[in-house]
Amino acid sequence: MEHLIQHFRKDEQPFIEQVVGWQHEVEDRYAPKLTDFLDPRQRFIVASIIGQYDTLKIASAGLFEDAERQRMLIYPTYYEPMEEDFQLTVFTIQYPVKFVQLRHPDVLGALLSLGLDRGKFGDIRVNDYLVQFVVANEVAEYVRLHLTGIGKVKVHVESIKETEPLLQNEEEWLEESHTVSSMRLDVIISTVLKISRQKAQALITGKKVRINWTERDTVAFELQEGDILSVRGSGRIKIMMTEGRTKKDKIRLQIGRLTQKS
């Protein structure tokens, strides 16, 4: 376990300890454990830790296709996970589009203002006339009763009907390969966005860069597989895979870049 923990960041220790706690819980109770919604980096950590054990398996679900946030089920090998094990509810909101255009941050802000933890919400999908979002069953009724407004808009939250299609992701990740001298944040941003190191550093110190939804302003921050960067004004970058080194000791890197479908 110790050698595994070295691969993770110091500020990820509390989460790692939590995952190890889940692992013990499943082994002791010999019953599945359902997590809150986790982002891709957290799921990568869970998979790394639980993958060490032959007696345990994992599955994850977030209802939407390519859901970014998903609940995970850690379970003993005898168990067969079912869809209902993930305890997910999809809500839909119709709103008066003539007067207002709701955006993702508006919806997230309204949900968080209900006093619930971010871990209880999955993905939020928004188009020109509809909002859909996923919540954990245990808070669904609370959300349905208390989410009555988003910004200045009065809204009515309804469970989605079986026949109603889920909104597709309007985003498309394009894969790119790069060779980089190191996994430092400023190096990666400068390479991928084709800007100077100085410019990349200015973006970072200017608090315009988030990694896994957390603002980071250290230029030498080391990126790892599974990290998702968002650079204000330049979209998002996903670190998909490091593929060894070149003869000149450069790192081969597979990334995904997010472009909005028009």
Side-chain angles (χ1 to χ4, degrees):
M1 193 65 201
E2 277 308 308
H3 75 93
L4 188 71
I5 285 175
Q6 293 163 9
H7 294 293
F8 298 118
R9 307 186 174 107
K10 226 182 179 56
D11 59 7
E12 290 172 336
Q13 286 313 106
F15 182 68
I16 291 163
E17 282 158 23
Q18 195 178 13
V19 177
V20 172
W22 294 337
Q23 170 229 322
H24 292 320
E25 198 181 317
V26 175
E27 287 176 333
D28 296 345
R29 289 180 37 234
Y30 207 54
K33 165 75 184 172
L34 179 64
T35 72
D36 277 346
F37 288 94
L38 304 176
D39 66 40
R41 174 68 185 171
Q42 290 170 318
R43 294 201 301 278
F44 173 77
I45 293 173
V46 174
S48 306
I49 293 171
I50 303 299
Q52 309 280 302
Y53 302 92
D54 298 339
T55 52
L56 301 179
K57 287 182 159 179
I58 49 174
S60 53
L63 286 186
F64 288 118
E65 193 185 344
D66 301 327
E68 198 159 78
R69 297 175 60 74
Q70 301 183 23
R71 294 188 92 169
M72 289 187 97
L73 194 73
I74 303 168
Y75 59 97
T77 42
Y78 78 86
Y79 192 78
E80 287 288 324
M82 315 272 281
E83 204 175 308
E84 49 268 28
D85 286 333
F86 292 100
Q87 305 273 313
L88 302 169
T89 298
V90 190
F91 281 132
T92 179
I93 294 174
Q94 313 234 333
Y95 67 94
V97 272
K98 284 206 290 279
F99 310 110
V100 68
Q101 180 61 62
L102 289 177
R103 290 163 29 258
H104 187 286
D106 305 327
V107 183
L108 179 59
L111 287 170
L112 292 175
S113 71
L114 299 178
L116 291 170
D117 189 83
R118 180 74 176 99
K120 296 296 174 196
F121 305 111
D123 282 11
I124 297 165
R125 302 255 164 116
V126 182
N127 71 9
D128 291 341
Y129 58 95
L130 197 62
V131 172
Q132 290 177 350
F133 60 92
V134 181
V135 300
N137 280 3
E138 59 268 27
V139 300
E141 192 51 21
Y142 181 87
V143 171
R144 201 177 61 75
L145 290 171
H146 292 89
L147 186 65
T148 51
I150 297 178
K152 295 191 168 64
V153 190
K154 282 201 164 36
V155 296
H156 177 61
V157 178
E158 284 175 25
S159 300
I160 209 161
K161 295 174 187 63
E162 286 293 317
T163 52
E164 214 173 319
L166 291 177
L167 290 178
Q168 290 297 315
N169 209 343
E170 292 300 305
E171 303 170 336
E172 195 175 358
W173 291 92
L174 296 178
E175 292 190 22
E176 296 177 4
S177 301
H178 292 277
T179 52
V180 290
S181 54
S182 84
M183 293 297 285
R184 277 173 54 129
L185 182 56
D186 57 346
V187 172
I188 304 271
I189 289 178
S190 137
T191 307
V192 175
L193 298 184
K194 299 185 172 56
I195 57 176
S196 69
R197 278 280 284 280
Q198 281 73 20
K199 243 193 185 131
Q201 289 170 353
L203 285 170
I204 300 161
T205 53
K207 300 194 186 307
K208 291 187 168 52
V209 177
R210 286 172 173 265
I211 300 168
N212 306 328
W213 299 270
T214 304
E215 206 173 79
R216 299 279 185 182
D217 56 7
T218 314
V219 294
F221 187 88
E222 284 283 317
L223 290 169
Q224 295 181 350
E225 277 182 39
D227 282 338
I228 292 186
L229 283 70
S230 49
V231 183
R232 203 179 306 161
S234 301
R236 293 160 75 194
I237 300 162
K238 189 192 286 180
I239 308 293
M240 293 163 77
M241 210 161 62
T242 50
E243 301 179 315
R245 291 181 177 266
T246 65
K247 286 200 180 81
K248 292 186 172 162
D249 210 32
K250 293 239 180 156
I251 302 163
R252 284 200 192 90
L253 188 63
Q254 285 292 110
I255 64 129
R257 279 193 72 179
L258 193 60
T259 56
Q260 299 286 340
K261 287 183 186 168
S262 50

